[in-house]
Structure formats: structure tokens, C-alpha cells
């Protein structure tokens, strides 16, 4: 037995906070700053940060070091920050605040590590010592490139993304919101007849359908005949 049942009217849902223009601007700015910042750090880590001339017994040898040889911390923090930027949209409430704080800390650590490595001569001296087979090398005419500051700028982008997530992250949508809405309980159908349930047709139902289980039918018996039992 199937009979249509129209669900009671419900008030219109309030607009989601994430739909506000300010939250949308903050979301776009955080994504842009975080993605560009992590990219800048990873690119800068593969560039030449310093170069000089190693003074050896057999003469002078030019040496140069890349960002990853000076310090591996900026690139590692950039990868963690990029993962945290994605994870911000996979968690909610307190979890989102913790991930946003981790993103901001990764940005701050990247800035500090890049600035500390901007004038570090230890990597050049180690390279000179390796070239001369000594425990300590002597490097002259040392110069440093702009890439440490590019990495620091990228770390500032990660820091800004983390601060924006801390400030506005509670009003941003989550990845699982669409799936939760699709698998929700649907509209309130009310109470049906005893022993009956409800079936909601389609993903976006306009009405509920009452479904009652069929009652068992009695077996029909035919008329009795002489010399035979009742027919089934």
C-alpha cells in the first residue's frame, strides 16, 4: 500500500556565513597567498644562495651552494604548510583552528630559517673543505644572492594564509559538506500509520511516500468433493 504524503513546510534556511563577501575574499586571499608562498619557497630552495672562491694549495676554485645545502628547513616547512593549507578545508571547528595555527607557524619558521641562511658562510666553507680534502676551508670573495629573501617572502605568504584561516576559517565551507547534505535524513515526513514507514524518492524529494507492508493473504480453498479432501 503506497500513498503520497506531503512533508510539512519548513522555514527557509538562513544564509550560510561562508556566503558573505568578506569571507569569500579572505578565502581567496588565503588560498592565493599560501599556494604562491609555498611555490616561492620551493623554487628558491633550488637556487644558488651564495658563491665564493676557495683558496687551496693548488690554487683557487670557485664554489657555490644552493638553498637546500645551506638549510633544508624552509623547503620542509613549505611542504608541511602546503599540506596544512589543504587540510584546513577537511576539518572543522577546533581541528580547523589547530591546522590554521600550524600553517601560521610553518610560515613564521620559514621566514626565520631563510633570513638566518641569507648570510651563512658555513655551507661555503664546508664546500671548500670538501674540494681541498681538508677539515676546514677558506673562502674569499663571498657573495650572496637574493633567493633567501624570496624564500622569506614566500614564508610570509604562508604566515598570512595561516592568520587569515585563524581569523575567518570558521566561516569557510568544508570539503565534506556536500556529502553530508546528500546523505542527510531528508525532509521531516511526520508520523505514518502504525507498522508503516517512509520512502523518499530521488535525491531532492518534493514529497514523502508512505510504504506499508502487505498483509499475508489467506490461502483459498475450493469446494470439497466426495472421496477427496479439500482442494488447496
Amino acid at each position: 500500500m503506497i500513498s503520497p504524503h506531503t512533508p510539512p513546510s519548513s522555514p527557509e534556511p538562513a544564509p550560510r556565513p561562508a556566503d558573505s563577501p568578506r569571507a569569500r575574499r579572505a578565502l581567496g586571499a588565503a588560498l592565493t597567498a599560501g599556494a604562491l608562498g609555498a611555490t616561492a619557497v620551493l623554487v628558491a630552495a633550488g637556487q644558488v644562495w651564495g658563491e665564493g672562491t676557495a683558496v687551496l694549495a693548488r690554487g683557487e676554485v670557485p664554489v657555490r651552494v644552493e638553498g637546500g645545502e645551506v638549510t633544508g628547513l624552509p623547503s620542509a616547512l613549505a611542504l608541511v604548510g602546503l599540506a596544512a593549507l589543504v587540510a584546513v578545508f577537511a576539518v572543522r571547528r577546533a581541528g580547523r583552528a589547530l591546522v590554521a595555527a600550524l600553517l601560521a607557524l610553518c610560515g613564521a619558521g620559514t621566514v626565520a630559517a631563510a633570513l638566518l641562511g641569507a648570510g651563512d658562510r658555513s655551507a661555503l666553507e664546508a664546500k671548500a673543505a670538501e674540494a681541498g680534502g681538508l677539515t676546514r676551508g677558506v673562502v674569499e670573495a663571498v657573495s650572496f644572492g637574493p633567493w633567501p629573501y624570496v624564500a622569506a617572502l614566500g614564508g610570509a605568504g604562508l604566515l598570512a594564509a595561516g592568520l587569515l584561516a585563524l581569523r575567518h576559517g570558521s566561516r569557510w565551507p568544508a570539503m565534506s559538506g556536500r556529502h553530508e547534505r546528500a546523505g542527510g535524513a531528508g525532509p521531516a515526513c511526520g508520523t505514518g500509520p502504525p507498522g508503516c514507514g517512509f520512502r523518499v524518492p530521488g535525491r531532492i524529494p518534493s514529497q514523502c511516500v508512505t510504504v506499508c507492508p502487505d498483509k499475508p493473504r489467506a490461502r483459498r480453498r475450493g469446494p470439497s468433493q466426495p472421496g477427496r479432501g479439500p482442494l488447496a
Side-chain angles (χ1 to χ4, degrees), residues 8-98:
S9 59
S10 57
E12 292 294 330
R16 295 170 51 186
D19 294 335
S20 64
R22 185 176 182 181
R24 287 198 301 268
R25 288 194 298 267
L27 174 59
L31 288 174
T32 302
L36 292 181
T39 303
V41 174
L42 294 175
V43 171
Q47 306 300 320
V48 176
W49 282 26
E51 54 186 349
T53 303
V55 180
L56 307 176
R58 62 179 182 271
E60 297 181 348
V61 178
V63 291
R64 58 176 57 185
V65 289
E66 297 180 354
E69 296 174 309
V70 175
T71 172
L73 196 57
S75 56
L77 290 176
L79 291 175
V80 175
L82 192 60
L85 180 64
V86 177
V88 164
F89 302 96
V91 293
R92 294 186 176 187
R93 298 184 179 89
R96 177 169 290 185
L98 289 175

Side-chain angles (χ1 to χ4, degrees), residues 41 49 71 73-74 77 104-119 148-149 151-156 159:
V41 174
W49 282 26
T71 172
L73 196 57
L77 290 176
L105 288 175
C106 287
T110 302
V111 172
L115 292 179
L116 288 175
Y149 304 101
L153 186 61
L159 175 60

Side-chain angles (χ1 to χ4, degrees), residues 85-213:
L85 180 64
V86 177
V88 164
F89 302 96
V91 293
R92 294 186 176 187
R93 298 184 179 89
R96 177 169 290 185
L98 289 175
V99 174
L102 175 62
L103 175 58
L105 288 175
C106 287
T110 302
V111 172
L115 292 179
L116 288 175
D120 190 1
R121 300 169 58 104
S122 60
L124 285 171
E125 293 174 353
K127 204 77 173 286
E130 181 182 353
L134 304 174
T135 57
R136 183 177 179 83
V138 179
V139 184
E140 297 179 352
V142 176
S143 62
F144 298 97
W147 291 106
Y149 304 101
V150 174
L153 186 61
L158 290 172
L159 175 60
L163 294 178
L164 285 172
L166 282 173
R167 176 67 178 85
H168 303 281
S170 60
R171 295 190 291 272
W172 292 350
M175 287 182 178
S176 59
R178 180 176 62 87
H179 302 286
E180 290 178 358
R181 290 193 299 270
C189 296
T191 304
C196 300
F198 290 106
R199 177 172 58 86
V200 180
R203 290 181 175 272
I204 306 178
S206 58
Q207 63 177 193
C208 300
V209 176
T210 305
V211 179
C212 296

